[in-house]
Amino acid sequence: MRELFVVAILFLSILPSAAGQTMDITKDSAGEIVEIVAFEGLSPDDDLLTKIPSLGKLRKLSLRCTPKNRVTVYEDWFLGKASLESIALVNCELSADAFSALLRVPALGSLDLTGASISPGALPKARFHAESVSFASCNLDDAFITRMIGCGVLDSAHLINLSGNAVTSNHILKLVARSTDCEELSLNQTHVDDESIPGLLKLRSLVALDMNDTKFTGNGFEKLCGLTRLEQLRANRVTLHLKQAEAFIEHPQLARFEFDYSGLSLEERIQLTKKQQSILSERRRK
């Protein structure tokens, strides 16, 4: 890993009327800007945004906007950015050309486009290597998600967040055929249901799975016990009966498990809690 020599961290006020809103800028030993981190309150007219295309040594770009005050991202921001490793453009506006150029950044390891508005368009065929990718709440439609999976945008990702999009079980079946190294998968507020279970069971490296507000049922959900490395599982709309819940409590790796308890009687909840405490005590003794 390359060593970064920080000689100055400047704190610039974004808007005179926005007290407490700042932008952090980090420079290297030669005075070149290598990191830009802007917090909510960033003005779309900020002068620094016009300089991004010329920042050839930029390693980290993080812009966090509000939905009502979106920054427009341009294609030339990503051209010639051989050192850019981390991009977060939360609630930003991206044209099809800007998104395509972003996907061509060669060293990119982390991409967070939560809440971003992405215009559909042609996607590059170049392999995308980011290991952490979030498209949460981007309102991506069926066609765009299908093209994105087909072009390999998620192939190398260990962490994938597709929450809040029109993701279906069919998408998951296509995804697992390519993203075999996925370790953390978030599908909250999607259309995924029990038909995706056979695909999810192929993700043998999966340690965290979030499925709040989806269409899974208890009968399909219980099959996820077959994911032997799973440590976190959350599905707040899934109702389980006692035997199904006990199967997850007995899972050897699962440390965090959330589901809808409304299907259990008070006695069953007490029984389940006691069993969980007993298993935890036994594991601590080991």
Side-chain angles (χ1 to χ4, degrees), residues 119-159:
S119 298
L123 298 179
K125 295 182 180 180
R127 184 169 173 79
F128 189 58
H129 296 283
E131 294 186 357
S132 175
V133 181
S134 175
F135 289 99
S137 303
C138 289
N139 293 317
L140 303 180
D141 61 21
D142 175 89
F144 191 88
I145 297 169
T146 298
R147 290 206 324 275
M148 191 168 62
I149 293 173
C151 289
V153 173
L154 304 174
D155 282 9
S156 300
H158 293 269
L159 186 156

Side-chain angles (χ1 to χ4, degrees), residues 1-5 59:
M1 182 179 293
R2 288 169 293 184
E3 189 171 359
L4 176 65
F5 297 93
R59 292 181 56 195

Side-chain angles (χ1 to χ4, degrees), residues 171-186:
H171 291 133
I172 298 304
L173 295 175
K174 293 177 180 177
L175 174 67
V176 300
R178 306 182 62 116
S179 305
T180 55
D181 295 328
C182 182
E183 297 177 0
E184 298 182 34
L185 180 61
S186 293

Side-chain angles (χ1 to χ4, degrees), residues 13 20 24 34 38 51 81 91 95 121 149 151 195 209 228 269:
S13 178
D24 293 353
V34 293
K51 300 177 182 178
K81 294 294 192 296
N91 291 318
S95 67
I149 293 173
C151 289
E195 292 184 5
L209 179 58
T228 57
R269 296 183 194 186

Side-chain angles (χ1 to χ4, degrees), residues 15 23-24 51 70 78 81 93 123-124 130 145 157 160 170 181 210 216 220 236 242:
L15 289 173
M23 179 186 293
D24 293 353
K51 300 177 182 178
R70 294 180 183 271
F78 309 110
K81 294 294 192 296
E93 189 98 18
L123 298 179
I145 297 169
I160 300 173
N170 187 45
D181 295 328
D210 288 349
F216 284 95
N236 63 356
L242 183 59

Side-chain angles (χ1 to χ4, degrees), residues 37 75 90 111 203 206:
V37 180
E75 177 185 10
V90 176
L111 175 64
L203 297 177
L206 202 62

